[in-house]
Amino acid sequence: MTKIDDVARLAGVSTATVSRALRGLPTVSQATRDRVLAAAAQLGYAASPSASRLAGGKTGAVAVVVPRITRWFFATVVEAAEEALHRGGYDLLLHNLGGSETERQRLLYTAALHKRVDALMLVATPLQGPDLHAVTSLALPGVTVSSGTGVPGWPSIRIDDVAAARTATTHLIECGHRRIAHISGDPADELAFTTHIDRRRGYREALGAAGITPDPALDVEEEFTVAGGERAVAELLRRGTPPTAIFAACDEIAMGAMAGLRQAGLKVPADVSVIGIDDHDLAGVVGLTTVAQPAAEQGRLAANVLLTPLTGGDYPGEETVILPTRLIVRESTAPPRAN
Amino acid sequence: MTKIDDVARLAGVSTATVSRALRGLPTVSQATRDRVLAAAAQLGYAASPSASRLAGGKTGAVAVVVPRITRWFFATVVEAAEEALHRGGYDLLLHNLGGSETERQRLLYTAALHKRVDALMLVATPLQGPDLHAVTSLALPGVTVSSGTGVPGWPSIRIDDVAAARTATTHLIECGHRRIAHISGDPADELAFTTHIDRRRGYREALGAAGITPDPALDVEEEFTVAGGERAVAELLRRGTPPTAIFAACDEIAMGAMAGLRQAGLKVPADVSVIGIDDHDLAGVVGLTTVAQPAAEQGRLAANVLLTPLTGGDYPGEETVILPTRLIVRESTAPPRAN
DNA sequence: CTGAAAGCGCTTACAG
DNA sequence: CTGAAAGCGCTTACAG
């Protein structure tokens, strides 16, 4: 393996100069830089990251933490972040909690992040108490995406979940619905997401504004997955008179709900309207009305917010960037059946 | 930051002994080990990965390369691999090619992998010529998942794509179809996946076995996405008499095709049957008949194949592990309309 | 603009 | 079973 000494020798300079030239530091004359670059190219030299990290104190990597990479929103955020990070010359260490508290413990208390990265991106991973302390004591710059609980000093990129939920619910109300069910976050969720809390709040606010009293029988807690949506519908039907509309806290739940309704012999939207939040890739396929959120943009923005200080720019510190959402009406919502 | 010397001092041993004790090497007495562990715990010490890597020559990381993390199959493979890798104490560096040749060039020719990882997992990323050489010259153990072109000396985990396609097509034939369209890989694809080649072969073999002559007008090339499926259906309809059934090379295409058919006023399966390959999370939701493949298991197996040699076990070297697929009949396939 | 030298914080033969 | 010492391959003040 060729190392920096080989390049130095070939270029006729010191290793310090090779190091400076290769990293593009300004204090190298053009002629010297050219010579070093040529030598490095000729030898096919690339610095050893381990050695650079140890000597330089920078890892050149960013850790990205997501609850479940298999969910549309998280995969989309990661894809966009990955591109921005690599473009900026950073590696991306992926941590997928897989919905498991054990995994989260490992991440937080096992030195898994210790001196491995220069910055952190926490996607929908709210932290409190000792968990939060475990992260802040890393003393790294970071950014949260769609996290209910922000990290002190970190910027936060997200949408206004309350408003998005209000938009969704209001759309159903404007269609003429009054018996509007809601399916949202699982209280048994080990990771304690908070997104569903805000969405439920928006749901209630919209009902309230229309003078509709929230009916607990129409409010089901389930996980943010297709299977969760199916189970929730079964539960709703078990409880008695079905709603005429369902606001699902995310598109995966919504699509699961649509499937559940169909299995129960109910037609969407003739019998029951369904709306979600996300604008999942497949929302168009199943004709799902939804409140779209810019997932890729959140990932890209978050990556850039991290890249800026890492490359000498200013770290924004604690601030909140709220990205816009928009209602997309498809075929899953309609006025309730006249009766 | 506490370092190894601090622990050594507190435990009253040399740094060499601290290093050995903490890594669980056998050549340390139990009493000494206990003392070192206690000292490390008391100081909250964890070794600096950069220093360990430089001194030890191992990075403790594995790179996973996927075409598009947003596609169901890849996200599922990565999720399973991530869990196995972290469980084994390895970091996962994610590389998402994003369907872009530029990204692939960066990965291959930019030292992005140079001395950063101990092993490589290539998912559906066939390599040839100089690209293949760029990877093999890294001289790292690796594994390919569902890659058409294997890497010499590496194990390969996949399904039998030809057989899966044959199963899908045969199911349609057994339903009574003769005009069976196929939608598969995009020839313009920059990454040159090969999966679609095998699946197209299986399609033709099944037709041949049933004495059906493949009709080029029924064979459309499109990318493996929902949008690709929608476009493909539009193209099929533009070409004239629609088929009575469609075999889509993956579930995303299949679901896009279902949407396209619906938009064209055609009913599935009454007018056109549709079958895919994958058993995507949402296949059940849209009632898609498909040939299921074990995505998570492929990811888990691939990770373990890598972990084994990394932890002292035997690297299998070049060998192919074929995992089973199975037909799941739902509502999207039925006999053709009598006429 | 460039170089000599120290130092980053570990691990690994080598001895004992 | 344990330690002293060298070494991993860079980067960073410090001088000039």
Side-chain angles (χ1 to χ4, degrees), chain B residues 164-215:
Chain B
R166 230 189 285 117
T167 300
T169 310
T170 301
H171 169 67
L172 297 174
I173 292 169
E174 287 175 350
C175 283
H177 296 279
R178 307 282 297 178
R179 287 184 53 73
I180 300 172
H182 181 50
I183 308 174
S184 194
D186 184 2
D189 169 39
E190 294 187 338
L191 267 26
F193 297 128
T194 52
T195 303
H196 63 276
I197 297 177
D198 284 347
R199 296 192 181 169
R200 174 163 284 118
R201 186 142 70 93
Y203 160 70
R204 294 205 176 129
E205 285 183 9
L207 291 186
I212 303 172
T213 309
D215 179 353

Side-chain angles (χ1 to χ4, degrees), chain A residues 14 17 20 27 29 32 54-55:
Chain A
S14 70
T17 296
R20 295 185 189 108
T27 62
S29 76
T32 304
L54 179 58

